[in-house]
Amino acid sequence: MNIHQVEKFFKDKENVPCPLTERLIKAGYQQTGGGYIKIARDQGLTVDYTKAEPTQYWHLAEEYCPSKNGSDTFSVSCGELIFWMAEVSDAVPKSDLEKLSNRIIASAIKTQPSSKPKYDRRKWNQEIRDVCFDKIVSAIEK
């Protein structure tokens, strides 16, 4: 699966409801810096996990794909992006995504009541990838 295939498949998915992804991000499961977060800040976009911003559609369609060669193999490690792709593509059953998001959210570590929860992103990004990525590839390559 290459970048062009991904871009084409998701181009009309900007307004597809993604309540599970939004719930996950609003629970604090969002990259804290670097990558797409740095680019969003540099572009003056709102970066606020409590609003699930920037959107994962923006992350994919406006930031990631345009920055790559269309014929390159698609490869990302960002869990929230893969999760969103799985949700809006219907590649993974909603019940499986809900169970996964519940497990992730339940694992949050809060150091103070008003602080952003912390997650073992390495662990959860890998689990999201294991559950979702091959199914996303299959959906796109159909």
Side-chain angles (χ1 to χ4, degrees):
M1 171 177 79
N2 66 34
I3 305 288
H4 179 71
Q5 289 172 293
V6 170
E7 201 167 25
K8 184 177 177 183
F9 184 87
F10 287 98
K11 73 178 179 185
D12 65 344
K13 306 270 190 278
E14 181 174 13
N15 297 312
V16 173
C18 54
L20 297 173
T21 303
E22 288 182 2
R23 179 175 164 258
L24 183 63
I25 294 171
K26 288 177 179 181
Y29 196 81
Q30 181 187 59
Q31 194 172 308
T32 56
Y36 83 101
I37 296 298
K38 180 184 182 328
I39 292 166
R41 285 185 177 127
D42 289 350
Q43 291 181 7
L45 298 176
T46 299
V47 175
D48 184 346
Y49 75 92
T50 67
K51 297 177 182 178
E53 290 184 15
T55 68
Q56 295 308 299
Y57 177 85
W58 174 86
H59 182 178
L60 181 70
E62 303 295 326
E63 186 273 316
Y64 181 83
C65 289
S67 72
K68 306 291 181 190
N69 182 320
S71 62
D72 288 349
T73 299
F74 181 82
S75 178
V76 294
S77 59
C78 179
E80 60 267 30
L81 179 56
I82 295 169
F83 193 96
W84 174 82
M85 293 170 74
E87 183 175 13
V88 301
S89 68
D90 290 323
V92 176
K94 299 286 188 221
S95 60
D96 292 352
L97 290 175
E98 188 165 16
K99 287 175 192 170
L100 178 57
S101 68
N102 287 343
R103 288 178 48 231
I104 295 168
I105 291 167
S107 77
I109 299 166
K110 277 202 116 170
T111 54
Q112 296 176 354
S114 62
S115 68
K116 181 179 178 185
K118 294 184 181 179
Y119 295 90
D120 183 344
R121 285 188 55 88
R122 184 173 308 236
K123 171 188 172 180
W124 291 115
N125 282 352
Q126 186 61 53
E127 184 145 350
I128 291 167
R129 185 173 182 79
D130 291 347
V131 169
C132 301
F133 197 79
D134 289 345
K135 292 174 182 169
I136 294 166
V137 172
S138 293
I140 291 173
E141 291 184 341
K142 275 186 184 177

